Amino acid sequence: MSVIEVKNVNRDFVNGKETAHVLKDINLTVEEGEFVSIMGPSGGGKSTLLYLLGGLDMPTSGNVKINGVDLSTLKDKELCHMRNEEVGFVFQFYNLVPNLNVEDNIALPLMIAGKNKNDYKEKLDECLKIIGMEDKRKLTPRELSGGQQQRVAIARALVFDPKILFLDEPIGNLDSKTGMKIMELFKEINKKYNKTIVQVTHSGEASKYGTRLIRLVDGQIQSEISIAG
């Protein structure tokens, strides 16, 4: 079953009299349970494509569907709901709130959605278990390493149990050893919890953890290959 469908997508940015064609006629389908890595040179449109897939930006032309729903048909409130509850985002920068402890940082999407944190105690416990940080729930970000902070960001992305995770250079701020441990965690989340994952990465090593590699060059898909896992 296709959970992401991209048809004839273009994204232009206008700067004064100049128009930059960042994405050109992108066609892409992602099946449920896939782990897709998007690689390519800087400025090739990788992050722009990821933001379109996650509804953080809209194409100039073409369509993006998530779970069969065309994102361009959603009202702002529906789009916010989709981004907060139906998909999860993990970025290069952890974006944790410094004065909140680990548990409250993970629960942040619940609070934003007006949910009662106490109703999600089991889910919070499960998220802490997935990232292996049950014993650190009361620590603040400044008491954590970079790898631990990224684990908290991952748990936060999982708290609403989304079907799809979008990763934007998720190990870009980590040393290689810590980064590979985080990639192992993503692989486990993909296989054990059947989460569909789409990541943008500069790291050839990180891309090997996926099931498919897409190379994006000058805003166009240059190649796609399956990765034996």
Side-chain angles (χ1 to χ4, degrees):
M1 177 185 151
S2 299
V3 291
I4 301 172
E5 296 173 80
V6 179
K7 288 191 177 176
N8 304 323
V9 158
N10 291 271
R11 184 65 174 102
D12 300 339
F13 292 95
V14 179
N15 184 9
K17 293 181 179 178
E18 298 288 316
T19 299
H21 303 290
V22 177
L23 294 174
K24 306 161 190 168
D25 292 320
I26 300 290
N27 287 281
L28 173 64
T29 303
V30 178
E31 301 298 321
E32 186 175 0
E34 274 199 283
F35 187 161
V36 176
S37 298
I38 302 171
M39 286 190 75
S42 294
K46 301 186 301 297
S47 290
T48 300
L49 177 56
L50 195 78
Y51 295 162
L52 293 179
L53 298 182
L56 295 171
D57 188 19
M58 286 291 154
T60 307
S61 63
N63 306 92
V64 177
K65 289 183 179 180
I66 299 289
N67 297 321
V69 177
D70 187 336
L71 299 188
S72 67
T73 66
L74 298 179
K75 297 185 174 77
D76 284 349
K77 193 173 179 181
E78 294 169 324
L79 203 54
C80 284
H81 177 274
M82 189 277 295
R83 288 193 300 249
N84 196 39
E85 299 188 26
E86 294 178 30
V87 302
F89 294 93
V90 180
F91 298 99
Q92 178 174 350
F93 302 102
Y94 323 123
N95 299 324
L96 302 182
V97 180
N99 60 336
L100 293 184
N101 64 29
V102 164
E103 188 174 66
D104 286 343
N105 264 292
I106 295 170
L108 205 54
L110 302 174
M111 299 176 198
I112 290 168
K115 309 285 186 186
N116 186 334
K117 184 182 129 183
N118 294 330
D119 294 339
Y120 285 81
K121 185 180 181 307
E122 281 186 21
K123 190 65 199 175
L124 287 167
D125 288 346
E126 183 191 0
C127 288
L128 282 160
K129 186 178 179 183
I130 289 170
I131 63 169
M133 289 180 62
E134 298 106 309
D135 59 336
K136 294 183 171 56
R137 65 173 70 218
K138 297 304 179 187
L139 299 183
T140 57
R142 67 178 64 88
E143 298 173 276
L144 304 174
S145 68
Q148 288 171 331
Q149 289 187 57
Q150 189 61 302
R151 285 174 183 268
V152 176
I154 293 164
R156 182 182 58 197
L158 291 170
V159 76
F160 267 119
D161 203 20
K163 285 185 176 180
I164 305 168
L165 285 182
F166 294 110
L167 320 177
D168 190 8
E169 297 285 359
I171 61 170
N173 269 2
L174 303 172
D175 64 80
S176 59
K177 187 178 177 184
T178 305
M180 291 311 109
K181 285 182 179 176
I182 293 294
M183 291 312 304
E184 287 287 352
L185 177 58
F186 283 129
K187 192 169 184 175
E188 180 186 350
I189 290 167
N190 169 242
K191 289 186 178 297
K192 188 174 176 181
Y193 300 95
N194 196 36
K195 301 295 182 193
T196 304
I197 297 179
V198 180
Q199 76 159 336
V200 159
T201 181
H202 276 105
S203 165
E205 202 62 37
S207 73
K208 293 174 186 172
Y209 285 81
T211 57
R212 181 157 52 119
L213 173 60
I214 294 172
R215 290 197 177 275
L216 196 66
V217 179
D218 294 332
Q220 294 178 302
I221 293 176
Q222 188 181 63
S223 64
E224 293 187 50
I225 58 169
S226 292
I227 300 169

